[in-house]
Amino acid sequence: MAHQDKQTASDIRLDGFWGRFPPSWHGVISIMRLDRPIGWWLLLLPSWWAILIAADEPLTALWLMLLFLIGAVAMRAAGCVINDLWDTDIDQKIARTATRPLASGEISKLQAFIILIILGLIGLGILVQLPFKAWLMGIASLPLIATYPLFKRFTYWPQIMLGLTFSWGVLLGFVAASDTWPHAGILTLYVGTVFWVVGYDTIYAIQDMKDDALTGVKSSALALKGRIAFAIKRIYAFGLMIITTALYITFGTWGIWTIGIILMGLHLYRQTSLIDEDNPQMALMLFKSNRDAGLFLSAGLLAELFL
């Protein structure tokens, strides 16, 4: 691997903890986005919701939450490698992504495939500790993981495919904690989570609207140009109503979890009031704040389990 300055190894700055690693490691860190934890947080949180719903006692829930944390970091990293393998030609045309490891040649495709195999083995190591039904549910997600980066070439709504992929943790987490197939409440929670993902990834796509328009890459942000805030407010509201319905179906009553839903809703409403299509920096900040939105619901479900 060629050595590059830590500030230019990719569109991600390797500051702080990750910047202390030897320069020869920076390309590997960058291609897996290890220094940008928001991705694995957003992949992880839906699985935590389902685990906290399905687990029969706190210690089981906490153990599964730890396993899914490790798995989310590995699988999100694998998804980033796959994304960069598919998008090398596109990344080379966009200023923000042209210096990513594959686009710049810092990492070869062979090295990327080796990294992908190692990450897959880590994910497999987590999966084999779960019930057999969870193995099947995890394997069923692989086509989504492998192909979702392609959809921005064909549709203005690739965010829907990302939503189907990033929400899969709802199904996998429930099966892992209960050793049963998802029931109507969990399937409804999955649908609601898809709406949440579509909303926050549309905010993320605001950053690339100009470059995407020039390179022919499609996104929901381009499709909704001029009315993004209006649309996301409704996407979030619809998703939150579905999630609330799912939890009521599952618990059969209002409980402490309701506080988590209310706090998540207030947080999402604040996001929509700050959206500015001409401010990519604000878009990135709002996108990242969805970790907190998901943690509010996690806290409510955790309190429900413990109390």
Side-chain angles (χ1 to χ4, degrees):
M1 301 179 192
H3 293 188
Q4 293 189 8
D5 184 87
K6 71 177 182 179
Q7 304 300 337
T8 60
S10 74
D11 59 333
I12 306 163
R13 297 170 63 93
L14 295 186
D15 294 331
F17 171 78
W18 294 107
R20 298 187 184 127
F21 282 79
S24 59
W25 290 43
H26 290 180
V28 175
I29 294 168
S30 293
I31 198 171
M32 292 192 292
R33 313 291 198 275
L34 293 179
D35 54 340
R36 192 164 63 177
I38 184 59
W40 59 255
W41 269 115
L42 294 175
L43 183 63
L44 172 67
L45 286 166
S47 66
W48 275 7
W49 301 344
I51 290 168
L52 291 168
I53 290 169
D56 54 6
E57 54 94 18
L59 285 179
T60 299
L62 294 175
W63 171 244
L64 286 172
M65 289 168 75
L66 176 61
L67 286 179
F68 272 72
L69 168 61
I70 299 169
V73 174
M75 289 300 93
R76 186 270 187 145
C80 290
V81 175
I82 292 171
N83 182 80
D84 286 4
L85 283 166
W86 281 122
D87 289 352
T88 302
D89 57 332
I90 295 174
D91 287 344
Q92 290 170 340
K93 300 174 184 176
I94 298 174
R96 187 175 66 85
T97 59
T99 51
R100 284 182 176 176
L102 271 173
S104 67
E106 182 181 7
I107 284 182
S108 69
K109 288 190 175 182
L110 175 60
Q111 290 170 321
F113 276 114
I114 292 172
I115 293 169
L116 190 59
I117 290 169
I118 293 171
L119 291 170
L121 290 174
I122 293 172
L124 180 61
I126 297 296
L127 198 61
V128 296
Q129 300 182 61
L130 305 178
F132 180 70
K133 287 187 177 73
W135 297 12
L136 300 178
M137 188 61 72
I139 292 169
S141 70
L142 293 179
L144 287 172
I145 295 171
T147 61
Y148 81 81
L150 284 175
F151 282 81
K152 59 178 169 284
R153 300 170 186 256
F154 310 114
T155 173
Y156 277 99
W157 291 92
Q159 279 69 27
I160 294 176
M161 289 304 301
L162 182 74
L164 294 171
T165 306
F166 264 56
S167 301
W168 200 264
V170 169
L171 307 179
L172 182 57
F174 179 81
V175 174
S178 68
D179 199 14
T180 59
W181 297 115
H183 53 66
I186 295 300
L187 294 173
T188 305
L189 179 61
Y190 175 70
V191 173
T193 305
V194 171
F195 278 89
W196 177 49
V197 177
V198 170
Y200 70 60
D201 202 58
T202 300
I203 294 175
Y204 182 82
I206 290 173
Q207 299 176 91
D208 293 329
M209 287 174 67
K210 292 181 180 178
D211 284 330
D212 286 349
L214 291 173
T215 58
V217 173
K218 299 174 174 62
S219 74
S220 53
L222 287 175
L224 297 169
K225 187 176 181 180
R227 57 188 191 281
I228 293 178
F230 174 87
I232 292 178
K233 186 173 292 187
R234 281 145 186 81
I235 291 170
Y236 274 164
F238 198 46
L240 203 65
M241 285 191 295
I242 297 173
I243 291 172
T244 304
T245 301
L247 295 178
Y248 187 80
I249 291 171
T250 300
F251 289 109
T253 183
W254 303 107
I256 298 173
W257 62 267
T258 312
I259 299 173
I261 276 285
I262 292 171
L263 292 174
M264 183 180 185
L266 291 172
H267 187 91
L268 296 180
Y269 178 79
R270 179 178 178 274
Q271 280 186 37
T272 61
S273 68
L274 296 174
I275 292 173
D276 180 355
E277 294 185 24
D278 297 318
N279 190 340
Q281 292 76 22
M282 175 63 75
L284 181 60
M285 184 190 75
L286 295 177
F287 164 75
K288 289 181 177 180
S289 75
N290 278 280
R291 181 202 63 176
D292 299 335
L295 284 173
F296 282 133
L297 181 52
S298 298
L301 293 170
L302 187 64
E304 185 76 33
L305 177 61
F306 273 84
L307 300 178

